[in-house]
Amino acid sequence: MLDEAIDDWGTARLTLNRPERHNAFNAELIAALAEAFTRLGGANEVRAIVLAGAGKSFSAGADLDWMRAAAGWTEAENQADAMGLSNMLAAINDCPKPVIVVAHGHVTGGGVGLVACADMAVAIDGAQFRLSEVRLGLTPATISPFVLARIGAAARRWFLTAEAFTATDAAAMGLVNEVAIDADAAQAMVAHWLTHIGQAAPGAVADAKALALDFADAVITEELREETARRIAARRVSAEGRMGIMAFLNKGKPGWIVE
């Protein structure tokens, strides 16, 4: 259902492995993703996490059997179930490690939510994205905070029409960073990002990600400026900060660099 491997470099590779269901979500897959991202996010040996899908699609959203069961639940039961999905997305979005997504094939509903939670995403040409919920009498409510944070007002069209859009469209609105012509090109882009991540201090990367999450769209106040000053001061006196500055001044290499 969710395959996991960690290489010597420190890259954790997670693969959605329900190809017969186009990697659609059910409660078990949602729980497995939440557990994996929480655990790997706290693992010192992990430098980055790459999420991809097996088979013809990245993720076709909600599993039909899961949706059929939910139709018979109470509103309270459905809210509790939806919070499980929300918690999983938050575990990915807030993960202190860099998260890279490789999207291909069908990327529907919650699959779009997974992409939106990534720090970097590459889509393989031919991928078809769709926020299809309104065609089922539903809304993309649970994934909406993450999708809106990624693409802003552009979401209004796709939320309301549920029309399909291409990898090129996804790149134009900022849902993905790059479009690759094929799977090999997508992996080359992932390798490019990992190479740069390997030059950066792991703790600084986590703190830099927190800056992007904490201060996005924030009003620039004196309190905000004081907080940013506090954070850089803490970095300067940290072990990584001291090592990095000394290595730079002495034209050496800090110990975190992965060759």
Side-chain angles (χ1 to χ4, degrees):
M1 184 168 292
L2 182 66
D3 293 344
E4 177 181 327
I6 303 176
D7 64 22
D8 293 339
W9 186 93
T11 301
R13 296 184 184 271
L14 298 176
T15 305
L16 306 173
N17 194 10
R18 302 186 77 216
E20 73 286 356
R21 295 294 185 102
H22 291 271
N23 299 317
F25 293 155
N26 60 12
E28 291 76 19
L29 180 56
I30 289 170
L33 281 165
E35 187 280 330
F37 274 93
T38 301
R39 172 173 44 81
L40 295 170
N44 291 333
E45 70 273 18
V46 173
R47 298 286 292 268
I49 304 171
V50 180
L51 177 64
K56 296 181 178 180
S57 297
F58 174 64
S59 177
D63 181 272
L64 292 178
D65 289 339
W66 183 43
M67 292 174 64
R68 188 176 295 112
W73 297 341
T74 66
E75 184 173 343
E77 289 170 331
N78 269 285
Q79 182 172 346
D81 180 72
M83 276 305 300
L85 175 59
S86 181
N87 291 338
M88 178 270 283
L89 294 170
I92 299 173
N93 189 73
D94 301 341
C95 180
K97 311 296 184 180
V99 175
I100 299 171
V101 160
V102 180
H104 76 288
H106 290 286
V107 187
T108 307
V112 176
L114 290 178
V115 177
C117 291
D119 300 304
M120 289 148 275
V122 55
I124 298 174
D125 192 30
Q128 179 178 282
F129 296 78
R130 191 190 295 270
L131 291 153
S132 59
E133 287 83 355
V134 294
R135 294 193 179 186
L136 303 174
L138 306 174
T139 67
T142 309
I143 67 172
S144 63
F146 306 98
V147 176
L148 288 165
R150 188 78 179 218
I151 65 174
R156 292 167 68 166
R157 170 184 175 180
W158 310 110
F159 279 8
L160 302 182
T161 66
E163 63 191 297
F165 56 96
T166 67
T168 301
D169 294 327
M173 70 182 80
L175 180 63
V176 303
N177 302 94
E178 301 287 343
V179 177
I181 60 172
D182 56 25
D184 288 342
Q187 290 306 316
M189 179 54 62
V190 171
H192 168 79
W193 286 330
L194 291 174
T195 295
H196 285 277
I197 291 167
Q199 304 297 304
V205 167
D207 285 354
K209 180 169 180 174
L211 292 176
L213 291 172
D214 294 346
F215 300 148
D217 301 321
V219 177
I220 301 175
T221 63
E222 183 176 356
E223 291 76 17
L224 178 67
R225 294 188 291 105
E226 287 177 349
E227 176 60 14
T228 61
R230 185 195 68 76
R231 293 195 190 192
I232 187 57
R235 272 276 116 207
R236 287 174 179 170
V237 300
S238 69
E240 283 185 348
R242 294 183 188 279
M243 180 187 296
I245 292 298
M246 289 304 297
F248 176 77
L249 293 175
N250 295 324
K251 300 184 178 356
K253 291 182 179 181
W256 60 71
I257 289 181
V258 178
E259 300 293 351

